Amino acid sequence: MTISLEALRRCSIAVDLGAARTRVYLRRTGLIVDEPTVAAVNTHTGGLIAVGTLAQRMTGRTPAHIRVVRPVSNGTVVDIEMAQRMLRLLLGNKLRRAWRRRPLVSAAVCVQHDADPLAQRAAVETLTGIGAKRVELVDALIAAAVGCGLPVERPEATMIVVCGAATTQVAVLSLGSIVAAERVPVGGETVDHAVVQHLRNEHALMLPSQAVRPLHLIVKDSAGGADGVPAVQSTEVHGRDVATGLARTVRIDVEGVRAAIRTPLTGVLDAIGSVLRRCPPDLVADLADRGIMLAGGSAVLPGFDTMLREATGMPLNIADHPDVCAVEGLGAMLDGKVQPLLLDAMVS
């Protein structure tokens, strides 16, 4: 898809509907919404009970008449009506009243690089349903690259790896466009599932969903010092016994969890190799010096950056705020902070 910076500068709001979190950027104001993409519904009445953080805390803890749903899956809106209702509550009455006073509000939304027409239409209908009269679609890879501060408009290669909740996208960009890109179904949720399966197979323990990410932090903090010896070699985990169903506490080996995390991430290495093989040699030579920029909410997974650096032999940097790069990049385009490289046709 072609991005028109002039059209984006006429937009008032930018939205990043991610599988894990929804972020909204208001022009000349900044980030006004950063909440989990989760809603809790009363199945008896159909009414929304909670959205965002409160709904996420209800996951796995609700009675039978309350259902926790995720209207976005794999970066695509799968339930348009629920996504609209969730956005209305997240935006609040004040902003919606302002939209009604200005009926020609335009919005920009991130979509995946290879999004099919149905996915694009779902994103457009979600925003038009809450008051936007015009919706501009922006490639999430380009938005994330701009948010990371990469010079995407220059005739030089830049490589970005956006690791999200459900998918990881890899791309090489030059002159404001994508030269080659690849998407793999590996993300933070895939890693969470690998950790849960590891504890189930090795320790017959079912781990609560809310405890997986704290376990990631323990693994990350156990990297150790200069001698290479992990600072924390084992830790206690609370869960449910698979056989008896009773609560149980086990002591697990941190290195085993680190190996379980590393296993699904090897798919990202294959995607990087595929993208590099489809790029011209000149661009690949640029990347040998510039390296890879790592972004996305799952970019801080323990050992991910080290694994990519060792496997590719290229420099690797993690964005300052990897989780909000896409929406910040959209916001920069809305605020006119991105200037295109003018390529006028030469007259002979």
Side-chain angles (χ1 to χ4, degrees):
M1 63 195 69
T2 303
I3 299 176
S4 170
L5 291 178
E6 287 299 325
L8 289 177
R9 291 192 187 104
R10 293 194 290 269
C11 295
S12 302
I13 195 168
V15 180
D16 179 17
L17 281 170
R21 300 187 73 87
T22 293
R23 299 178 174 92
V24 180
Y25 184 102
L26 189 62
R27 185 180 180 184
R28 297 194 181 94
T29 301
L31 197 63
I32 59 173
V33 172
D34 187 358
E35 293 281 341
T37 312
V38 186
V41 186
N42 187 322
T43 57
H44 292 167
T45 64
L48 277 184
I49 297 175
V51 296
T53 303
L54 180 56
Q56 187 178 48
R57 290 172 55 191
M58 295 181 180
T59 303
R61 297 184 171 92
T62 60
H65 70 284
I66 297 178
R67 185 166 58 99
V68 177
V69 297
R70 295 180 178 272
V72 180
S73 177
N74 293 334
T76 302
V77 179
V78 294
D79 189 336
I80 296 175
E81 181 183 357
M82 187 58 64
Q84 291 172 348
R85 296 172 66 185
M86 181 191 69
L87 277 174
R88 289 191 188 101
L89 287 178
L90 291 178
L91 291 174
N93 294 326
K94 184 177 180 180
L95 185 58
R96 293 204 308 275
R97 285 197 298 267
W99 279 26
R100 285 195 292 268
R101 289 195 299 268
R102 298 179 58 193
L104 298 179
V105 169
S106 297
V109 61
C110 286
V111 294
Q112 292 190 346
H113 171 67
D114 56 353
D116 56 53
L118 287 178
Q120 296 180 20
R121 180 177 177 181
V124 171
E125 289 188 3
T126 299
L127 293 185
T128 54
I130 61 173
K133 299 304 177 182
R134 182 179 175 84
V135 178
E136 300 290 342
L137 301 177
V138 181
D139 196 306
L141 287 169
I142 295 180
V146 171
C148 292
L150 295 177
V152 295
E153 75 282 357
R154 306 301 303 174
E156 303 158 348
T158 54
M159 188 173 201
I160 186 167
V161 177
V162 181
C163 190
T167 60
T168 295
Q169 299 180 84
V170 181
V172 172
L173 303 94
S174 180
L175 291 173
S177 299
I178 294 176
V179 179
E182 189 83 15
R183 181 177 63 157
V184 290
V186 176
E189 294 176 355
T190 311
V191 173
D192 291 348
H193 180 72
V195 173
V196 170
Q197 286 298 113
H198 170 76
L199 293 180
R200 183 187 180 98
N201 297 335
E202 298 295 327
H203 302 280
L205 189 74
M206 290 293 294
L207 190 67
S209 58
Q210 304 287 347
V212 178
R213 287 308 168 96
L215 185 58
H216 289 179
L217 296 178
I218 294 174
V219 174
K220 185 176 181 179
D221 293 339
S222 68
D227 55 0
V229 178
V232 179
Q233 296 184 356
S234 63
T235 184
E236 287 188 348
V237 175
H238 308 285
R240 187 182 71 183
D241 188 276
V242 173
T244 65
L246 300 177
R248 186 161 67 95
T249 300
V250 298
R251 180 165 288 275
I252 64 172
D253 180 27
V254 172
E255 186 58 36
V257 178
R258 183 180 289 109
I261 291 175
R262 191 178 297 117
T263 300
L265 295 178
T266 55
V268 180
L269 295 177
D270 297 335
I272 292 176
S274 175
V275 168
L276 291 177
R277 285 191 294 270
R278 285 152 42 198
C279 287
D282 292 340
L283 294 182
V284 177
D286 289 344
L287 295 175
D289 296 328
R290 297 179 176 276
I292 303 171
M293 178 64 73
L294 194 57
S298 301
V300 293
L301 286 171
F304 189 25
D305 55 338
T306 303
M307 182 187 71
L308 292 182
R309 191 179 293 110
E310 293 176 352
T312 62
M314 293 191 295
L316 187 138
N317 300 298
I318 300 179
D320 293 336
H321 304 285
D323 52 339
V324 296
C325 284
V327 72
E328 291 288 351
L330 270 182
M333 296 179 194
L334 264 62
D335 292 337
K337 297 179 181 178
V338 179
Q339 299 298 327
L341 179 65
L342 298 178
L343 297 175
D344 296 329
M346 298 182 66
V347 180
S348 56

